[in-house]
Amino acid sequence: MSYKNQPRLNLPFTGHCTFAKRPIVECDENIDADFAVIGVPFDMGCQYRSGARFGPRSIRQASTLFSFGHNGAYDHERKTLFLPSEQVKIVDVGDVDMIHTDSEQSLNNATKAIETLLQSKTIPVILGGDHSITAATLAAYDSYSDIHVLQIDAHLDFVDERHGVKYGHGNCMRRASEMGHITGLTQLGIRNTSSSSSSDYIDAVEAGSTILSVQQCRKVGLEAILETIPKGKKVYITIDIDGFDPSIAPGTGTPSHGGFLYYEIQELLEKVCQQNTIVGVDLCEVAPAYDPAEVTATLAAQLLINLIGYIHHYNHEDVYV
Ligand SMILES: [Mn+2]
């Protein structure tokens, strides 16, 4: 609230808790914004600890810290003002409607919501939710013909079907690879035990995936990683927060030691935004119940704000089909 034309200091802990304290708008085909943030608070796809349904709220809360700048975020290392407020418009369209006990309906709602955002010609920035949501959000891109998916994750998520389950958080990249519009995958950070079997790894490679563990990424280096993503191609980025090390991202359902650290992924994301057109972003598996110091939500918010800044700054015109 303001008092008749009185200017506000608007500190991060005050006011309405939207993403980066950006305005709320309805999710429809007439959104006038460069980026639309949307939550998919779905965690019925978990195989271990649930709680990612509260991920969108925790990321929004953490993101208010990064609403500090009064005219964007000046980066002294790059001598660049990211997200200048007059030039880039970010809105928060709230959350996809969830139907308890009904995964199919809930995930279909996610697909419809992302289709709507794409019709509005705004770039979706999607807050999970467990990683099941990515199969649903990618399905919305079926009018595109040639998308490469960049996945940051501890787990391959390439299980075909087990006990009839095809749309859990361990199946999402398999489902993505089956879509005609997904023509390649780069899967980074994959390590330790997961629900994917050795044949799933073989199938992923056959489907056009490059799989690198954290150790392998460190060995080959950033430039070699970037070569697995065809230059100029449209890219969808999916970040499972458990791709990071649990020492910096404990607040997640299936943590896995030996993960990435902040700069490894921040640098990768910036370079990908330079060489590719980013058509959408999701960040999944933040579960605030296991995040007592809120460092996981802070990491998620910081990554997303930086990523939005890079996408806008390196501006590729050909986002939409
Ligand atoms: Mn995952």
Side-chain angles (χ1 to χ4, degrees):
M1 104 184 239
S2 62
Y3 311 96
K4 228 179 176 181
N5 304 325
Q6 181 186 314
R8 285 184 63 96
L9 182 55
N10 199 20
L11 291 175
F13 60 88
T14 69
H16 298 295
C17 187
T18 63
F19 187 83
K21 299 180 75 171
R22 298 305 171 116
I24 297 168
V25 303
E26 284 295 314
C27 184
D28 62 28
E29 302 80 19
N30 304 308
I31 295 168
D32 173 25
D34 303 293
F35 299 91
V37 178
I38 185 166
V40 189
F42 176 92
D43 64 4
M44 289 181 267
C46 293
Q47 296 169 94
Y48 190 49
R49 303 190 296 194
S50 57
R53 67 178 59 183
F54 293 107
R57 286 204 176 165
S58 69
I59 297 168
R60 283 189 176 99
Q61 160 101 1
S63 75
T64 60
L65 173 60
F66 306 108
S67 66
F68 228 123
H70 289 283
N71 179 29
Y74 182 67
D75 183 326
H76 79 93
E77 287 178 278
R78 292 164 183 78
K79 296 193 171 23
T80 300
L81 180 70
F82 287 102
L83 300 175
S85 34
E86 322 82 63
Q87 287 172 41
V88 54
K89 197 165 169 198
I90 304 167
V91 295
D92 190 328
V93 299
D95 292 335
V96 170
D97 198 30
M98 292 289 110
I99 314 300
H100 65 298
T101 78
D102 194 333
S103 297
E104 195 179 343
Q105 244 194 106
S106 302
L107 292 170
N108 281 342
N109 286 346
T111 305
K112 280 186 250 164
I114 303 306
E115 282 170 355
T116 305
L117 296 180
L118 294 174
Q119 282 161 19
S120 272
K121 300 204 182 299
T122 182
I123 298 177
V125 176
I126 302 152
L127 314 176
D130 73 46
H131 217 167
S132 316
I133 68 143
T134 300
T137 58
L138 279 170
Y141 287 82
D142 64 352
S143 57
Y144 289 69
S145 56
D146 192 14
I147 293 177
H148 191 91
V149 176
L150 168 60
Q151 175 197 11
I152 313 297
D153 204 324
H155 312 100
L156 194 71
D157 297 347
F158 218 84
V159 175
D160 184 8
E161 177 275 329
R162 203 167 285 149
H163 279 251
V165 177
K166 297 190 79 172
Y167 295 94
H169 71 166
N171 310 93
C172 59
M173 289 301 127
R174 168 82 72 159
R175 297 289 87 82
S177 74
E178 293 165 346
M179 297 173 193
H181 55 287
I182 308 295
T183 50
L185 295 127
T186 296
Q187 301 182 272
L188 305 179
I190 317 304
R191 62 191 185 274
N192 295 336
T193 309
S194 81
S195 53
S196 296
S197 64
S198 62
S199 64
D200 295 328
Y201 282 83
I202 293 165
D203 291 348
V205 172
E206 278 180 6
S209 174
T210 302
I211 304 165
L212 293 170
S213 70
V214 175
Q215 295 281 61
Q216 287 168 331
C217 285
R218 287 174 181 162
K219 195 168 173 197
V220 301
L222 183 54
E223 293 306 319
I225 295 168
L226 287 164
E227 280 170 22
T228 71
I229 306 166
K231 290 198 172 44
K233 199 165 164 179
K234 290 183 167 65
V235 168
Y236 179 99
I237 300 173
T238 177
I239 301 171
D240 184 325
I241 204 72
D242 68 29
F244 288 88
D245 194 73
S247 60
I248 64 165
T252 192
T254 49
S256 176
H257 279 283
F260 288 118
L261 297 176
Y262 175 70
Y263 281 119
E264 292 173 292
I265 298 306
Q266 178 270 323
E267 287 174 9
L268 170 71
L269 294 176
E270 182 171 10
K271 294 278 185 192
V272 172
C273 290
Q274 288 170 5
Q275 74 167 38
N276 292 93
T277 299
I278 311 303
V279 296
V281 174
D282 72 49
L283 193 151
C284 299
E285 301 280 0
V286 173
Y290 320 111
D291 192 26
E294 300 174 9
V295 290
T296 315
T298 303
L299 172 66
Q302 194 172 327
L303 282 167
L304 287 174
I305 300 249
N306 286 340
L307 183 51
I308 292 169
Y310 301 145
I311 295 171
H312 182 261
H313 183 71
Y314 299 112
N315 185 25
H316 297 270
E317 300 289 329
D318 56 332
V319 174
Y320 302 102
V321 290

